[in-house]
Each structure stands twice: as structure tokens, then as C-alpha cells.
Amino acid sequence: MTEIAMMAAGDHELSVALDGTGPAVMLLHGIGGTSAVYQGQAAALAAAGARVIRPDFAGAGRSPLGRSRITVDSHAADAIEILAGLNIDQVLMVGHSMGGLVARTIAATRPDLVSRLVLLGAVSPPTPAAAQSIRNRAGRIRELGSAVVADEILDASVSAETRRLRPEVTAFIRRLICGQDAAGYAANNEALAEATEPGEIPAGLPMTLVAGEQDRLSPPELSVRIAAGHGDRQVVVIPGIGHWIPLEASSQVASLVISSLDGS
């Protein structure tokens, strides 16, 4: 059974979902998501003998904003504190979208903590034009609420195949977006707008990148570019899905992470 704990991270608290016992896996969500995007993977991983840690980032899900300003770096620092609070000294790190930037930041600054990286729908820091568009979106969210961007986010990020064949997935993503605290959702958008390259990751750290074939926000070519030059890497492209990989390809992601736990 999942335990939901409020855990200290600096001068604020984060909600953290905890499942299972065994080798540790930390699952980091993206903007508009919460720890709930990984429900399917958490159950499968716990059943496979893993200890699963799913924080809600500051300003998302059950976690209060807690800061006047949040950044990718502050999310990384919070995740590191959560691991310390759980006495975990090494973890398989999984990150979706902006959560992948956070995971890469942790791997670059504290490579001793990370046994392997799995990046789902990996993104790069935005161009100046894209960053301004994200800031504009944050302004609309603050003024009008999170639901105002739900349709445009769904249109841009969920594959046509998922929308047609699995409407329940699209409906769940809509609920996640509309349920976000407006101030927190806006602040997380601004964190992405201000993101910079995470830094160099040790070439020997195993890294798997998973891309959706129909992902228009972070197409497969972007995962290939991020992987280029990294020594121990693998790029997996899943047909028929878009950007919400943990939800659009729940069982495939669970199987891949379980295989990564085994080192295969």
C-alpha cells in the first residue's frame, strides 16, 4: 500500500509517495503532472522488489509552493534532501520531461547518488522564443487558472492515437492539469523557462532515453541529440504515443525500468 508522507526539504515540505522495499527508484514528474503519473510503474516496481520514491515537486500535486521562486536546481536540491531523509545513498533515477532535466542535474552534481538514468520525453532548456512563450503561459495561468491551458497542452502533448483509442488517458491528464494550484503551476512553468543545461554527466553512468514516436514537444531526434557523446546510452522509441510517456505507455515504461534495475 502506498504511504503518503510530508517530508522536509530545506525550509519547506514536499509530499512524497512511498511504495515497496528493496533497491531504490526515484520517479520525477514533469510540468502539469504529479506523482500520480507514475501510479502504474510504482505498483509494478514495488511488486518486482523495488523501493519507489515519488515526490510531488514544490507547487505541484500535494506539495505547497513553499518558495518565492523555484528552479530546476531547487527541485534537484529538494530531491537530494528527500533521499537523504530516507537514508538512501544510491538510486535509479527516472525523470519525465522537466523531471528529466532535474534528474540530469542531480546526476551532474551528485553522480555518486545515481546508479542509472532513465529519461522519458527528455527536454532541453528552451530557446529564448520558447522561454518567452512559456512565461506568457505562466501569466495566463496566474490570471485565469490552470484549466485555461488544458486544451492547448493536450493538443500539443498527447498523441492522436492515444486520444482516439484511450480517451481515459487524455481525461486523466486533463484532470491533472486542471487540478494544479495556479500559483504553483505558473511557478513551475517559469522554472522551465529559466532552465539551463544541467552540466556534464559522467560518461560511464548508464542512461536510457525513451521517446514517443508522435511527441511534438520532445521528438525522438532530441533524445538522440541528448544521448550523443554519452558513453553508456540507449534510445528507445515507442510507437503511437506522444509526450506523456508514463501514462501513454505505462506498462512499457514499467518493464523498461524493471529491466534497468536488473542492469539489463
PDB file of all heavy atoms in Angstrom, residues 9 14 26 28 55 57 74-84 93 102 106 113:
ATOM      1  N   ALA A   9      12.212  19.465   3.171  1.00  0.00           N
ATOM      2  CA  ALA A   9      13.196  19.768   2.129  1.00  0.00           C
ATOM      3  C   ALA A   9      13.580  21.227   2.320  1.00  0.00           C
ATOM      4  O   ALA A   9      12.879  22.131   1.871  1.00  0.00           O
ATOM      5  CB  ALA A   9      12.624  19.533   0.734  1.00  0.00           C
ATOM      6  N   LEU A  14       7.589  18.647   1.229  1.00  0.00           N
ATOM      7  CA  LEU A  14       7.075  18.064  -0.007  1.00  0.00           C
ATOM      8  C   LEU A  14       6.273  16.817   0.320  1.00  0.00           C
ATOM      9  O   LEU A  14       6.606  16.073   1.244  1.00  0.00           O
ATOM     10  CB  LEU A  14       8.212  17.676  -0.957  1.00  0.00           C
ATOM     11  CG  LEU A  14       9.139  18.759  -1.484  1.00  0.00           C
ATOM     12  CD1 LEU A  14      10.134  18.150  -2.462  1.00  0.00           C
ATOM     13  CD2 LEU A  14       8.366  19.878  -2.151  1.00  0.00           C
ATOM     14  N   MET A  26      13.705   6.486  -7.852  1.00  0.00           N
ATOM     15  CA  MET A  26      13.019   7.768  -7.688  1.00  0.00           C
ATOM     16  C   MET A  26      12.399   8.162  -9.024  1.00  0.00           C
ATOM     17  O   MET A  26      13.071   8.150 -10.059  1.00  0.00           O
ATOM     18  CB  MET A  26      13.981   8.852  -7.195  1.00  0.00           C
ATOM     19  CG  MET A  26      13.330  10.222  -7.049  1.00  0.00           C
ATOM     20  SD  MET A  26      14.405  11.447  -6.210  1.00  0.00           S
ATOM     21  CE  MET A  26      13.715  11.385  -4.539  1.00  0.00           C
ATOM     22  N   LEU A  28      10.455  11.120 -11.057  1.00  0.00           N
ATOM     23  CA  LEU A  28      10.267  12.568 -11.053  1.00  0.00           C
ATOM     24  C   LEU A  28       9.340  12.973 -12.195  1.00  0.00           C
ATOM     25  O   LEU A  28       9.615  12.685 -13.363  1.00  0.00           O
ATOM     26  CB  LEU A  28      11.617  13.285 -11.202  1.00  0.00           C
ATOM     27  CG  LEU A  28      12.673  12.937 -10.137  1.00  0.00           C
ATOM     28  CD1 LEU A  28      13.988  13.645 -10.463  1.00  0.00           C
ATOM     29  CD2 LEU A  28      12.179  13.322  -8.747  1.00  0.00           C
ATOM     30  N   PRO A  55       8.196  11.988  -5.355  1.00  0.00           N
ATOM     31  CA  PRO A  55       7.849  13.282  -4.786  1.00  0.00           C
ATOM     32  C   PRO A  55       6.946  14.086  -5.719  1.00  0.00           C
ATOM     33  O   PRO A  55       7.018  13.958  -6.947  1.00  0.00           O
ATOM     34  CB  PRO A  55       9.209  13.976  -4.634  1.00  0.00           C
ATOM     35  CG  PRO A  55      10.051  13.361  -5.706  1.00  0.00           C
ATOM     36  CD  PRO A  55       9.580  11.942  -5.871  1.00  0.00           C
ATOM     37  N   PHE A  57       6.814  17.723  -6.852  1.00  0.00           N
ATOM     38  CA  PHE A  57       7.674  18.897  -6.788  1.00  0.00           C
ATOM     39  C   PHE A  57       6.962  20.049  -6.077  1.00  0.00           C
ATOM     40  O   PHE A  57       5.721  20.116  -6.040  1.00  0.00           O
ATOM     41  CB  PHE A  57       8.068  19.359  -8.191  1.00  0.00           C
ATOM     42  CG  PHE A  57       9.104  18.494  -8.860  1.00  0.00           C
ATOM     43  CD1 PHE A  57       8.968  18.147 -10.204  1.00  0.00           C
ATOM     44  CD2 PHE A  57      10.220  18.052  -8.185  1.00  0.00           C
ATOM     45  CE1 PHE A  57       9.922  17.375 -10.838  1.00  0.00           C
ATOM     46  CE2 PHE A  57      11.182  17.265  -8.803  1.00  0.00           C
ATOM     47  CZ  PHE A  57      11.023  16.928 -10.137  1.00  0.00           C
ATOM     48  N   SER A  74      16.514  24.064  -7.738  1.00  0.00           N
ATOM     49  CA  SER A  74      15.880  23.913  -6.417  1.00  0.00           C
ATOM     50  C   SER A  74      15.110  22.595  -6.338  1.00  0.00           C
ATOM     51  O   SER A  74      15.083  21.951  -5.283  1.00  0.00           O
ATOM     52  CB  SER A  74      14.964  25.104  -6.100  1.00  0.00           C
ATOM     53  OG  SER A  74      13.788  25.113  -6.878  1.00  0.00           O
ATOM     54  N   HIS A  75      14.498  22.174  -7.440  1.00  0.00           N
ATOM     55  CA  HIS A  75      13.849  20.860  -7.454  1.00  0.00           C
ATOM     56  C   HIS A  75      14.889  19.747  -7.230  1.00  0.00           C
ATOM     57  O   HIS A  75      14.634  18.787  -6.508  1.00  0.00           O
ATOM     58  CB  HIS A  75      13.138  20.627  -8.779  1.00  0.00           C
ATOM     59  CG  HIS A  75      11.835  21.361  -8.937  1.00  0.00           C
ATOM     60  ND1 HIS A  75      10.996  21.651  -7.886  1.00  0.00           N
ATOM     61  CD2 HIS A  75      11.209  21.843 -10.055  1.00  0.00           C
ATOM     62  CE1 HIS A  75       9.928  22.281  -8.337  1.00  0.00           C
ATOM     63  NE2 HIS A  75      10.030  22.400  -9.641  1.00  0.00           N
ATOM     64  N   ALA A  76      16.043  19.884  -7.876  1.00  0.00           N
ATOM     65  CA  ALA A  76      17.101  18.883  -7.694  1.00  0.00           C
ATOM     66  C   ALA A  76      17.566  18.849  -6.247  1.00  0.00           C
ATOM     67  O   ALA A  76      17.750  17.761  -5.663  1.00  0.00           O
ATOM     68  CB  ALA A  76      18.265  19.179  -8.637  1.00  0.00           C
ATOM     69  N   ALA A  77      17.763  20.018  -5.656  1.00  0.00           N
ATOM     70  CA  ALA A  77      18.187  20.075  -4.254  1.00  0.00           C
ATOM     71  C   ALA A  77      17.140  19.434  -3.341  1.00  0.00           C
ATOM     72  O   ALA A  77      17.488  18.714  -2.389  1.00  0.00           O
ATOM     73  CB  ALA A  77      18.434  21.525  -3.843  1.00  0.00           C
ATOM     74  N   ASP A  78      15.858  19.684  -3.631  1.00  0.00           N
ATOM     75  CA  ASP A  78      14.786  19.074  -2.829  1.00  0.00           C
ATOM     76  C   ASP A  78      14.826  17.543  -2.938  1.00  0.00           C
ATOM     77  O   ASP A  78      14.683  16.833  -1.930  1.00  0.00           O
ATOM     78  CB  ASP A  78      13.420  19.573  -3.298  1.00  0.00           C
ATOM     79  CG  ASP A  78      13.139  21.014  -2.904  1.00  0.00           C
ATOM     80  OD1 ASP A  78      13.887  21.568  -2.076  1.00  0.00           O
ATOM     81  OD2 ASP A  78      12.166  21.583  -3.430  1.00  0.00           O
ATOM     82  N   ALA A  79      14.998  17.037  -4.157  1.00  0.00           N
ATOM     83  CA  ALA A  79      15.036  15.580  -4.356  1.00  0.00           C
ATOM     84  C   ALA A  79      16.212  14.956  -3.606  1.00  0.00           C
ATOM     85  O   ALA A  79      16.081  13.882  -2.997  1.00  0.00           O
ATOM     86  CB  ALA A  79      15.116  15.251  -5.841  1.00  0.00           C
ATOM     87  N   ILE A  80      17.355  15.628  -3.631  1.00  0.00           N
ATOM     88  CA  ILE A  80      18.528  15.134  -2.909  1.00  0.00           C
ATOM     89  C   ILE A  80      18.247  15.098  -1.404  1.00  0.00           C
ATOM     90  O   ILE A  80      18.621  14.142  -0.704  1.00  0.00           O
ATOM     91  CB  ILE A  80      19.760  15.996  -3.239  1.00  0.00           C
ATOM     92  CG1 ILE A  80      20.198  15.755  -4.698  1.00  0.00           C
ATOM     93  CG2 ILE A  80      20.906  15.706  -2.285  1.00  0.00           C
ATOM     94  CD1 ILE A  80      21.219  16.739  -5.213  1.00  0.00           C
ATOM     95  N   GLU A  81      17.563  16.133  -0.892  1.00  0.00           N
ATOM     96  CA  GLU A  81      17.233  16.139   0.541  1.00  0.00           C
ATOM     97  C   GLU A  81      16.254  15.026   0.901  1.00  0.00           C
ATOM     98  O   GLU A  81      16.348  14.426   1.978  1.00  0.00           O
ATOM     99  CB  GLU A  81      16.653  17.504   0.935  1.00  0.00           C
ATOM    100  CG  GLU A  81      17.697  18.608   0.999  1.00  0.00           C
ATOM    101  CD  GLU A  81      17.326  19.677   2.010  1.00  0.00           C
ATOM    102  OE1 GLU A  81      16.868  19.327   3.119  1.00  0.00           O
ATOM    103  OE2 GLU A  81      17.498  20.853   1.676  1.00  0.00           O
ATOM    104  N   ILE A  82      15.308  14.747   0.012  1.00  0.00           N
ATOM    105  CA  ILE A  82      14.368  13.655   0.261  1.00  0.00           C
ATOM    106  C   ILE A  82      15.126  12.327   0.363  1.00  0.00           C
ATOM    107  O   ILE A  82      14.879  11.511   1.267  1.00  0.00           O
ATOM    108  CB  ILE A  82      13.307  13.582  -0.848  1.00  0.00           C
ATOM    109  CG1 ILE A  82      12.418  14.819  -0.832  1.00  0.00           C
ATOM    110  CG2 ILE A  82      12.482  12.303  -0.737  1.00  0.00           C
ATOM    111  CD1 ILE A  82      11.666  15.053   0.444  1.00  0.00           C
ATOM    112  N   LEU A  83      16.060  12.096  -0.548  1.00  0.00           N
ATOM    113  CA  LEU A  83      16.854  10.864  -0.490  1.00  0.00           C
ATOM    114  C   LEU A  83      17.648  10.787   0.813  1.00  0.00           C
ATOM    115  O   LEU A  83      17.716   9.719   1.441  1.00  0.00           O
ATOM    116  CB  LEU A  83      17.789  10.786  -1.693  1.00  0.00           C
ATOM    117  CG  LEU A  83      17.113  10.599  -3.060  1.00  0.00           C
ATOM    118  CD1 LEU A  83      18.140  10.687  -4.179  1.00  0.00           C
ATOM    119  CD2 LEU A  83      16.361   9.271  -3.114  1.00  0.00           C
ATOM    120  N   ALA A  84      18.232  11.906   1.214  1.00  0.00           N
ATOM    121  CA  ALA A  84      18.986  11.919   2.467  1.00  0.00           C
ATOM    122  C   ALA A  84      18.074  11.611   3.655  1.00  0.00           C
ATOM    123  O   ALA A  84      18.447  10.866   4.569  1.00  0.00           O
ATOM    124  CB  ALA A  84      19.674  13.272   2.652  1.00  0.00           C
ATOM    125  N   MET A  93      17.341   6.742 -11.154  1.00  0.00           N
ATOM    126  CA  MET A  93      16.615   7.999 -11.276  1.00  0.00           C
ATOM    127  C   MET A  93      15.852   8.036 -12.601  1.00  0.00           C
ATOM    128  O   MET A  93      16.442   7.895 -13.672  1.00  0.00           O
ATOM    129  CB  MET A  93      17.610   9.164 -11.220  1.00  0.00           C
ATOM    130  CG  MET A  93      16.989  10.535 -11.117  1.00  0.00           C
ATOM    131  SD  MET A  93      16.335  10.906  -9.472  1.00  0.00           S
ATOM    132  CE  MET A  93      17.832  10.957  -8.475  1.00  0.00           C
ATOM    133  N   VAL A 102      15.659  17.755 -14.135  1.00  0.00           N
ATOM    134  CA  VAL A 102      16.005  17.658 -12.718  1.00  0.00           C
ATOM    135  C   VAL A 102      16.889  16.431 -12.485  1.00  0.00           C
ATOM    136  O   VAL A 102      17.916  16.506 -11.785  1.00  0.00           O
ATOM    137  CB  VAL A 102      14.730  17.592 -11.856  1.00  0.00           C
ATOM    138  CG1 VAL A 102      15.086  17.395 -10.380  1.00  0.00           C
ATOM    139  CG2 VAL A 102      13.888  18.847 -12.038  1.00  0.00           C
ATOM    140  N   ILE A 106      20.779  16.327 -11.036  1.00  0.00           N
ATOM    141  CA  ILE A 106      21.250  15.519  -9.907  1.00  0.00           C
ATOM    142  C   ILE A 106      22.430  14.651 -10.335  1.00  0.00           C
ATOM    143  O   ILE A 106      23.435  14.541  -9.630  1.00  0.00           O
ATOM    144  CB  ILE A 106      20.098  14.655  -9.355  1.00  0.00           C
ATOM    145  CG1 ILE A 106      19.002  15.548  -8.773  1.00  0.00           C
ATOM    146  CG2 ILE A 106      20.618  13.681  -8.286  1.00  0.00           C
ATOM    147  CD1 ILE A 106      17.708  14.810  -8.454  1.00  0.00           C
ATOM    148  N   LEU A 113      25.094   9.573  -6.250  1.00  0.00           N
ATOM    149  CA  LEU A 113      23.758   9.180  -5.832  1.00  0.00           C
ATOM    150  C   LEU A 113      23.016   8.360  -6.881  1.00  0.00           C
ATOM    151  O   LEU A 113      22.020   7.702  -6.559  1.00  0.00           O
ATOM    152  CB  LEU A 113      22.908  10.430  -5.540  1.00  0.00           C
ATOM    153  CG  LEU A 113      23.115  11.158  -4.221  1.00  0.00           C
ATOM    154  CD1 LEU A 113      22.220  12.387  -4.171  1.00  0.00           C
ATOM    155  CD2 LEU A 113      22.804  10.236  -3.047  1.00  0.00           C
TER     156      LEU A 113
END
